[in-house]
């Protein structure tokens, strides 16, 4: 499984840190001079969607940027 926790604990899986990925993306865009960054995401009822949104909003604030509307 990729990006999901297995229902069977012994099943092999790869977990993704979606929040960290969103933070890295904002950091990169800020460093190359972008001032407004759009965020297109998965539905918020999925944990990874919520994690990305929270991390994106925090990173935008931390870098003093404005989210695109």
């Amino acid at each position: 499984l990729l990006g999901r926790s297995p229902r069977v604990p012994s099943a092999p899986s790869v977990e993704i840190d979606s929040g960290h990925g969103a933070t890295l993306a904002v950091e990169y865009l800020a460093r190359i001079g972008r001032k407004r960054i759009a965020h297109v995401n998965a539905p918020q009822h999925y944990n990874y969607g919520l994690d990305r949104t929270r991390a994106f909003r925090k990173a935008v604030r931390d870098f003093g940027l404005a989210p695109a509307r």
Side-chain angles (χ1 to χ4, degrees):
L1 296 172
L2 180 61
R4 300 186 330 172
S5 296
R7 293 176 191 223
V8 179
S10 62
S13 66
V14 176
E15 293 293 319
I16 298 171
D17 186 343
S18 294
H20 185 65
T23 300
L24 290 175
V26 171
E27 179 180 2
Y28 170 76
L29 293 169
R31 291 192 190 285
I32 65 169
R34 300 297 186 245
K35 302 293 181 203
R36 295 176 66 224
I37 302 171
H39 177 63
V40 179
N41 196 12
Q44 299 300 288
H45 62 270
Y46 294 118
N47 286 338
Y48 59 86
L50 190 55
D51 291 343
R52 287 179 195 154
T53 298
R54 288 177 178 155
F56 170 79
R57 289 178 178 162
K58 181 180 182 318
V60 166
R61 279 192 314 272
D62 290 349
F63 283 95
L65 304 173
R69 297 205 183 267

